């Protein structure tokens, strides 16, 4: 679990290659947020988005079982676009239906919307972390069935 106010940010990139598909569980281990990126100039990369999102959702969840926040990045927006990305309203609907936290048209080359996308993802991660810690604090005063207060750190019970 993330300590309040601190966390490590690590990036894994599989480049969408099928040969890495069986290793995604290793990449996703302990992930608390993700980006899925496709190339707006190649419609086939957009077709793979659903596969990657489903893979992510089945292999990693938050402690409450919900999916980790995931932002969809439509990269190379500085070039000629193909497909659904040409219709922002349809992209919003697409992302909502598939459980994406949000989406951005980005350009890594031109540094367009990179910071904004990262800010959205990190903000959502921190909100989730705050909720998790609040739930942990709320559970501190719960008692076991035997009526004794449980000390989860040591695993011992006390007769408070």
């Amino acid at each position: 679990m993330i300590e309040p106010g601190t966390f490590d940010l690590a990036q894994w990139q599989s480049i969408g290659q099928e040969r890495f598909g069986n290793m995604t569980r290793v990449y996703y281990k302990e992930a608390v947020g993700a980006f899925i990126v496709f190339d707006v100039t190649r419609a086939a990369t957009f077709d793979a988005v659903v596969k990657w999102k489903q893979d992510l959702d089945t292999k990693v969840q938050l402690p409450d079982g919900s999916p980790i926040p995931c932002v969809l990045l439509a990269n190379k927006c500085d070039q000629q676009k193909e497909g659904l990305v040409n219709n922002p309203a349809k992209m919003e609907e697409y992302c909502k239906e598939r459980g994406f936290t949000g989406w951005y048209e980005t350009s890594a080359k031109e540094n367009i919307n990179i910071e904004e996308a990262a800010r959205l993802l990190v903000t959502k991660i921190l909100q989730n972390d705050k909720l998790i810690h609040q739930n942990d604090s709320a559970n501190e005063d719960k008692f076991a069935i035997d009526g004794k207060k449980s000390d989860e750190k040591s695993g011992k019970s006390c007769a408070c």
Side-chain angles (χ1 to χ4, degrees), residues 11-120:
Q11 176 184 349
W12 289 97
Q13 182 177 3
S14 67
I15 317 167
Q17 296 180 15
E18 294 302 320
R19 65 184 168 151
F20 295 111
N22 62 348
M23 295 179 60
T24 56
R25 190 174 304 278
V26 175
Y27 292 139
Y28 300 157
K29 186 177 181 184
E30 297 183 23
V32 292
F35 290 114
I36 293 179
V37 184
F38 73 96
D39 179 343
V40 300
T41 68
R42 295 177 44 225
T45 64
F46 182 72
D47 296 339
V49 165
V50 171
K51 175 191 146 303
W52 285 106
K53 181 69 164 92
Q54 289 172 339
D55 187 57
L56 180 69
D57 289 349
T58 59
K59 293 182 180 169
V60 64
Q61 294 89 29
L62 295 173
D64 67 359
S66 62
I68 64 171
C70 182
V71 176
L72 181 61
L73 302 181
N75 197 37
K76 297 187 182 180
C77 71
D78 55 316
Q79 298 181 22
Q80 185 66 36
K81 300 173 202 160
E82 291 183 9
L84 191 62
V85 77
N86 285 310
N87 187 332
K90 292 230 185 238
M91 279 297 295
E92 288 288 336
E93 183 180 328
Y94 176 90
C95 289
K96 189 174 184 177
E97 288 174 358
R98 286 157 182 85
F100 284 95
T101 301
W103 76 284
Y104 283 90
E105 289 186 70
T106 61
S107 170
K109 179 181 175 185
E110 300 294 331
N111 194 24
I112 298 170
N113 286 332
I114 303 298
E115 283 186 39
E116 293 81 356
R119 189 174 298 115
L120 172 65

Side-chain angles (χ1 to χ4, degrees), residues 1-9 30-33 62-63 122 124-130 132-133 136:
M1 208 173 288
I2 301 170
E3 292 297 319
T6 65
F7 65 92
D8 292 326
L9 185 61
E30 297 183 23
V32 292
L62 295 173
V122 170
K124 188 63 177 168
I125 290 168
L126 292 173
Q127 288 171 348
N128 287 339
D129 185 59
K130 186 176 179 181
I132 289 165
H133 281 92
D136 287 347

Side-chain angles (χ1 to χ4, degrees), residues 140-160:
E140 284 179 3
D141 292 330
K142 293 200 174 175
F143 288 86
I145 294 174
D146 62 7
K148 296 179 181 176
K149 190 172 181 177
S150 175
D151 179 1
E152 290 183 23
K153 291 179 186 165
S154 68
K156 298 178 182 175
S157 294
C158 66
C160 306

